[in-house]
Each structure stands twice: as structure tokens, then as C-alpha cells.
Amino acid sequence: MMKITLKTFEIFVACMLGFGLVGMLSILPQVRWMAYFAVVASLFFLWQIEEEKKRRKKKVQFYKKMGKIIARRLQESA
């Protein structure tokens, strides 16, 4: 089973946004509506990717902070 990284998904969503923006220039209304949907969906996914990056950064900071607290407590008790 193949795993997809956050960066790969971000590249895919950016390409989807590009194709959606180009599709909005189409003469055919069905293609234009699908392009609108693709643009809205890709903007939502890009927003979610940014939120996930913030969550991961916060998680790393939390574990660093907890590691320092635990190390300090172990030094105090020794």
C-alpha cells in the first residue's frame, strides 16, 4: 500500500487548483461548473493542509517542552 505525504498531497491540490482556474475559462458551462467546484475544493484542501502544519508544529513544541520538564524532574530526583 502506498502512503502519500502531506507535501505530495499539497502539490496535487495545487495542480488541481491550476487546472480548475484554467477550466474556468472554458466555453462549456458544465466544464466551468466542474472547474468552480475544483477550485473551491482545492482552496479548502490547501486551508486544511496549512491547519495540519500548524497542528504538527504545535505538537512538536509540546513534546519538546514535556521532554525538558521530564529531564528536569529526573535531575531533581537523582
Side-chain angles (χ1 to χ4, degrees):
M1 190 161 137
M2 190 171 114
K3 288 187 178 181
I4 184 168
T5 63
L6 193 61
K7 188 66 179 171
T8 307
F9 185 63
E10 186 176 13
I11 292 169
F12 171 74
V13 171
C15 289
M16 189 170 87
L17 177 64
F19 285 125
L21 290 173
V22 170
M24 287 170 57
L25 301 174
S26 175
I27 298 172
L28 302 172
Q30 294 87 357
V31 174
R32 199 175 320 147
W33 279 108
M34 288 188 334
Y36 290 146
F37 177 74
V39 167
V40 170
S42 61
L43 290 176
F44 173 75
F45 285 136
L46 286 173
W47 175 67
Q48 286 295 318
I49 289 169
E50 291 302 317
E51 291 294 316
E52 180 62 26
K53 286 180 182 178
K54 287 179 189 176
R55 281 191 288 270
R56 287 184 181 185
K57 188 175 181 181
K58 216 173 195 181
K59 187 176 179 181
V60 167
Q61 290 174 350
F62 171 76
Y63 281 115
K64 279 184 182 179
K65 189 176 182 181
M66 291 305 292
K68 288 179 183 178
I69 291 172
I70 291 170
R72 190 172 359 126
R73 293 267 172 102
L74 289 174
Q75 284 179 349
E76 290 174 0
S77 65

